[in-house]
Amino acid sequence: MALRKPFFTFGSKFMQNKTAQYLQLALILGAGVIGAMAAQWLGLPIPYLLGSMSASAIVSLTTYSRSGEKLWFPLQLRHVFIAVIGIMIGTTFSPEALKTAPILAITLCAMMLFVCAAQILNFGIFHHIGGYDRVTAKYAAMPGGLIEAVTLGEKADGDVETMSIQHFVRIVLVIMFVPTLFQIFSGETVGSAASQTLESSPSDWTDWLFCAVFAPVGIWLGARLKLPASHLMGPLLLTALLHAVMAVDIQGPSALLNLAQLIVGAGLGVNFARSTLCHLLSAFALGFLSVSTTLIMASGFAYLLASVVPMSFTALLISFAPGGVTEMSLVALSLGVAPVLVTTHHLFRIIFTVTIAGILTARSERLGKGNPGS
C-alpha cells in the first residue's frame, strides 16, 4: 500500500519559497536604503530615487549573473507607492490651477510637434547608427509609453528585449539628466537633498491616515475608469478633486515622499537584472545619444514657450523631457515645479504617442506589411 506524501512537505516548500522571496526583497530594499543615504551624503539630486535605483541595479545585476534568477520584487508594492506619489501630486492642486487651461491649449499643441520630431530623430539614431531593424527602431524611438510601445512592437515582430531595454534606459537617463542639469546650471542642490518638502505646515497622523485610505481607493478608481497610468492617476484625481472643493487639506508628509522615492527607485533598478553588460553598455550609449538630442530639442521648445506662456523654463523642460509619467512627476515634486501641469503634459505626450503609433500599426497591418524589415 503506497503511503501518502504528508501535506506539511508542500507547506514547508511553500514557506521556504516565501522566506527566500522576502529575503530577496529585504536585500533590494536594504541596498536601496544604503544607496539613498550615500547619494544624499554626496549631495546628489533626488537622492532617494537615484541612489536607491543605482544600488538596486548593481545588486540585481550581480545576483542575476551568479544565480541566473531575477530577484523578487512585488509589482503591487511599487503600485502602492506610485499611488502615494499620485496623492502627493494631488495635494498640490488648488482651484487656481483651473486657470491654466489657456496655457495648456498652447503647450499641448507644441507637444504634438515635439513628439513627431522626436520620433523621426530617434528612429534615425536607432536604425542608422544602432543598426536596429526598421520595426524595432520605430517602436524603440517612441518618446513615451514603455509598455504600449513594446506591446505594439512585439505585434509587429520587433525585438522585444531590445525595445524593452531601450525604453527603460530612456526613462533612467532622463530622470538622471534633468535634475542633474538643473543642479549644474542653477548651482543649487535640488529635491530632498536640499530639504525641499511639500508641507506648507507640519503634517500629523491625519495626513498619514488620508494617504493610507486614498491609495487603495484611488487605485480602484483608476482601474475602474481605465485611466492611463491608472495607479498614479486614480489617486491623483481623487486627491485633486477633494482639494479643489476644499473637502480635505492634506499636507504631504516629506518622510512618506522620501519612502515612495526609495521604493520606486529600487523597483526600477531590479529591471536591469537579465541584461548582459555588453547589451546594457550598447543600449546606454545609444540611449545617451537619443536622450541628449531629445533633451536639446525639449530645451528649445521650453525656451520658445517660456516667452509665450506664464510657465518657467524649468517647468516646461520637465514637461517636455521624455521620461516616464510617474518618474517625471516625482522629479517635478522633488524640484517643487508645477507637478499638476507637468503630469498633464506627460500624460498627453504618452496618449498622443501611443495613439499615433497604434494608427500607424493598424495601417501597416492593413497594407500587409508583415516582415520585420518593412
Side-chain angles (χ1 to χ4, degrees):
M1 179 179 173
L3 294 176
R4 275 187 178 178
K5 194 176 283 188
F7 174 76
F8 66 79
T9 301
F10 170 80
S12 176
K13 288 181 179 179
F14 177 78
M15 290 304 296
Q16 287 176 1
N17 290 338
K18 282 294 179 185
T19 301
Q21 288 181 335
Y22 291 136
L23 287 173
Q24 290 172 17
L25 179 60
L27 176 62
I28 296 166
L29 296 180
V33 170
I34 294 171
M37 291 173 64
Q40 189 170 41
W41 181 74
L42 291 169
L44 297 179
I46 49 173
Y48 288 90
L49 178 67
L50 298 184
S52 65
M53 182 185 69
S54 302
S56 172
I58 292 170
V59 169
S60 298
L61 274 167
T62 305
T63 306
Y64 186 80
S65 63
R66 290 178 180 175
S67 66
E69 293 184 2
K70 182 179 177 181
L71 291 175
W72 182 72
F73 190 94
L75 192 60
Q76 293 85 350
L77 179 63
R78 186 167 183 266
H79 285 167
V80 167
F81 283 95
I82 286 175
V84 168
I85 294 168
I87 293 169
M88 295 291 188
I89 296 170
T91 64
T92 67
F93 187 84
S94 65
E96 287 74 28
L98 296 174
K99 297 176 182 177
T100 61
I103 299 173
L104 293 175
I106 298 171
T107 57
L108 294 185
C109 287
M111 180 66 76
M112 291 189 282
L113 294 175
F114 171 78
V115 165
C116 294
Q119 175 72 31
I120 294 169
L121 176 69
N122 289 331
F123 174 81
I125 291 172
F126 293 130
H127 181 55
H128 297 294
I129 299 177
Y132 295 170
D133 64 77
R134 294 181 66 86
V135 171
T136 300
K138 179 169 70 175
Y139 291 98
M142 286 173 58
L146 187 156
I147 296 172
E148 294 83 0
V150 173
T151 301
L152 289 169
E154 182 180 18
K155 192 175 180 182
D157 294 327
D159 186 328
V160 175
E161 182 182 0
T162 296
M163 291 184 294
S164 300
I165 293 175
Q166 208 62 69
H167 275 286
F168 188 69
V169 165
R170 167 180 59 83
I171 292 171
V172 169
L173 288 178
V174 170
I175 64 174
M176 291 178 71
F177 279 8
V178 171
T180 302
L181 289 173
F182 182 84
Q183 182 175 350
I184 291 170
F185 289 110
S186 69
E188 300 175 359
T189 305
V190 296
S192 52
S195 301
Q196 291 180 4
T197 175
L198 296 176
E199 300 174 79
S200 56
S201 61
S203 60
D204 57 28
W205 67 270
T206 58
D207 297 304
W208 289 82
L209 179 62
F210 275 129
C211 290
V213 172
F214 285 7
V217 174
I219 290 173
W220 175 85
L221 182 67
R224 185 77 174 177
L225 297 177
K226 297 182 179 179
L227 299 172
S230 60
H231 294 91
L232 177 77
M233 288 306 300
L236 189 159
L237 290 177
L238 174 64
T239 310
L241 178 63
L242 292 175
H243 259 250
V245 299
M246 299 181 181
V248 296
D249 182 19
I250 303 174
Q251 301 300 323
S254 57
L256 185 57
L257 176 59
N258 291 340
L259 179 61
Q261 292 181 74
L262 195 153
I263 299 294
V264 171
L268 282 171
V270 171
N271 287 294
F272 281 115
R274 291 196 176 97
S275 303
T276 64
L277 184 59
C278 182
H279 199 174
L280 274 178
L281 289 175
S282 174
F284 265 94
L286 286 170
F288 182 86
L289 180 59
S290 170
V291 168
S292 297
T293 51
T294 306
L295 283 179
I296 290 172
M297 189 191 307
S299 299
F301 272 84
Y303 179 78
L304 292 173
L305 287 169
S307 62
V308 178
V309 299
M311 282 181 71
S312 68
F313 171 81
T314 303
L316 286 163
L317 177 58
I318 297 173
S319 296
F320 277 77
V325 59
T326 300
E327 292 73 29
M328 293 313 297
S329 298
L330 186 49
V331 169
L333 275 175
S334 299
L335 300 182
V337 178
V340 172
L341 279 175
V342 169
T343 302
T344 301
H345 283 87
H346 282 286
L347 284 171
F348 181 82
R349 171 179 56 82
I350 291 171
I351 292 169
F352 180 73
T353 302
V354 172
T355 300
I356 294 300
I359 292 171
L360 293 176
T361 300
R363 182 172 178 273
S364 295
E365 289 177 347
R366 285 198 302 270
L367 294 175
K369 294 181 179 180
N371 68 79
S374 61

